Amino acid sequence: MPAARYLVAILVAGAAGCGNGGDPGGAIDVDAKPVARDAYAKPIGAAADPGYARADDAYRHRLIETFTSITPENAMKWAVVHPAEGRFEFDDADALVDFARRTGKRVRGHPLVWDVQLPEWLTERDWRPAQLRRVLARHIRALVHRYRGRVDEWDVVNEPLADDGGFAKNVWFRTLGPAYVAYAFRVARRADPSARLFINEIDAETGRKSLAYLRLVVELKRRGVPIDGVGFQNHTTGKDAAGPARLRALFTAVGRLGLAGAITEMDVGATEEGRQARVYRDAAEACAAAANCTGLTVWGVTDRFSWLEPQSRALPFDEGGEPKPALRALVEPLRRR
Ligand code: XIL
């Protein structure tokens, strides 16, 4: 997705308050029949927001009935979970992890280190490197310890790269240099040796950023960083989508390094339903065919609550929760035969 559109989407979604306005909190109802845990050959996931799930029946029912994995859309981000230094608020994250347990779903934790949705106490201070390293380690340990055995896969470092393929010049990089990436993985590994640890990146399926991303991963492996997998967000459109051969090549490339791969945040905006279904099918087929693909996650459930502009209609269910052709395209290649 072009950078400008991505920024607009973040601002719009942020202004909407991430669905938490007037949200009563508490447990998310399980008032539909959960899809069988092993219905698909690989987990098919959705980004989930507890506010949307509590407020909207169609969203919650489709989430329960369709997806075998969830990624907290916002509930584990720094600004939500760590609002003041050393003070953690786990209500929404707990609600989602508990909902996943009651519905037999896997959880992908997301994200431990990112430069968006950070609290002001973090961004508005000049940190000495040793101090920031301590804050980072404490944050990672708090989350990874709490969900040990319940989160299978963590996005340890999210979007480390800028559009030009260099490191994003964010607070982590400015204070700690590129070493923050390896440091975060090491802390996460010690906190839960059995979780699979992923790096995750946007717009890294094709082009220059894709090469830079693969180079970064090669370098991390070479230096013995404890990384298990490589996430491709795959926010895309009918026009920009990586084709089937390219997706297969990405899984093969990371597989050669002994790493897993996953499609972590897919949506397909700005296109008609037939083309959209084709793009979802290509991704589902690529994941199904790759022994090292650990799942395909879409970034939302119904078009009513996408992080993109409303006219994007990028998800497999429409605003009212009716399935679009994209749903079948996503599920068929991954259905267990
Ligand atoms: C988005 C959420 O969907 C929005 O609700 C929020 O306002 C901004 O972040 N890449 C990521 C995700 O890794 O965490 C982002 O999620 C979308 C882009």
Side-chain angles (χ1 to χ4, degrees):
M1 177 193 308
R5 270 194 57 216
Y6 169 53
L7 265 182
V8 169
I10 284 213
L11 291 174
V12 170
C18 309
N20 289 330
D23 176 23
I28 302 165
D29 266 0
V30 180
D31 55 350
K33 187 169 183 289
V35 57
R37 183 192 288 272
D38 60 354
Y40 314 121
K42 322 267 177 146
I44 302 180
D49 180 285
Y52 305 154
R54 291 185 195 107
D56 188 274
D57 292 350
Y59 177 102
R60 186 178 60 259
H61 294 163
R62 299 299 96 81
L63 180 60
I64 296 170
E65 298 160 349
T66 315
F67 297 98
T68 56
S69 170
I70 59 176
T71 303
E73 183 167 355
N74 291 297
M76 290 183 175
K77 290 176 180 172
W78 279 70
V80 176
V81 87
H82 199 166
E85 188 174 355
R87 183 163 68 77
F88 291 88
E89 280 187 10
F90 288 114
D91 291 0
D92 270 2
D94 282 356
L96 276 177
V97 173
D98 181 59
F99 169 78
R101 184 186 52 79
R102 289 183 286 129
T103 53
K105 304 189 195 307
R106 180 191 73 163
V107 182
R108 297 195 81 253
H110 167 87
L112 293 172
V113 192
W114 193 27
D115 57 3
V116 180
Q117 292 175 281
L118 292 174
E120 282 181 3
W121 66 264
L122 182 80
T123 52
E124 294 198 341
R125 192 157 137 194
D126 274 330
W127 297 93
R128 279 183 283 116
Q131 270 179 326
L132 188 64
R133 221 176 286 121
R134 264 198 304 279
V135 166
L136 178 59
R138 190 168 178 199
H139 177 90
I140 293 175
R141 279 187 209 116
L143 271 89
V144 176
H145 274 158
R146 184 175 191 87
Y147 299 114
R148 199 158 30 185
R150 295 188 286 164
V151 165
D152 289 15
E153 216 166 274
W154 279 104
D155 288 332
V156 178
V157 177
N158 194 36
E159 304 183 358
L161 299 180
D163 285 345
D164 67 3
F167 275 97
K169 307 293 181 289
N170 57 36
V171 60
W172 311 112
F173 181 85
R174 285 196 315 271
T175 316
L176 303 173
Y180 84 86
V181 175
Y183 182 70
F185 276 95
R186 295 208 163 94
V187 174
R189 176 69 96 218
R190 275 197 298 274
D192 182 358
S194 57
R196 278 192 305 273
L197 305 183
F198 271 64
I199 193 165
N200 194 39
E201 189 53 91
I202 190 165
D203 282 340
E205 293 78 28
T206 57
R208 185 150 76 132
K209 192 164 174 191
S210 184
L211 285 180
Y213 188 40
L214 293 173
R215 264 200 301 272
L216 170 60
V217 170
V218 167
E219 181 61 16
L220 294 174
K221 272 304 273 183
R222 196 183 63 77
R223 296 194 0 244
V225 174
I227 178 175
D228 303 305
V230 181
F232 297 93
Q233 294 187 6
N234 211 23
H235 292 289
T236 190
T237 64
K239 194 157 70 65
D240 304 325
R246 178 67 196 170
L247 292 171
R248 272 200 306 276
L250 293 174
F251 284 112
T252 304
V254 302
R256 285 213 184 96
L257 299 167
L259 293 169
I263 293 172
T264 53
E265 305 188 13
M266 183 160 180
D267 43 25
V268 186
T271 189
E272 44 78 34
E273 290 191 345
R275 171 69 186 148
Q276 180 180 60
R278 180 76 245 167
V279 175
Y280 273 110
R281 185 175 292 275
D282 286 345
E285 284 176 355
C287 179
N292 63 332
C293 176
T294 65
L296 190 171
T297 293
V298 296
W299 205 245
V301 179
T302 70
D303 284 335
R304 178 156 179 221
F305 297 102
S306 164
W307 71 301
L308 300 167
E309 315 79 79
Q311 64 272 24
S312 296
R313 299 200 171 77
L315 293 167
F317 292 100
D318 73 12
E319 286 87 345
E322 292 303 315
K324 292 152 62 177
L327 180 70
R328 201 160 152 200
L330 178 67
V331 165
E332 257 177 15
L334 287 160
R335 205 186 286 290
R336 229 177 246 294
R337 273 168 266 270

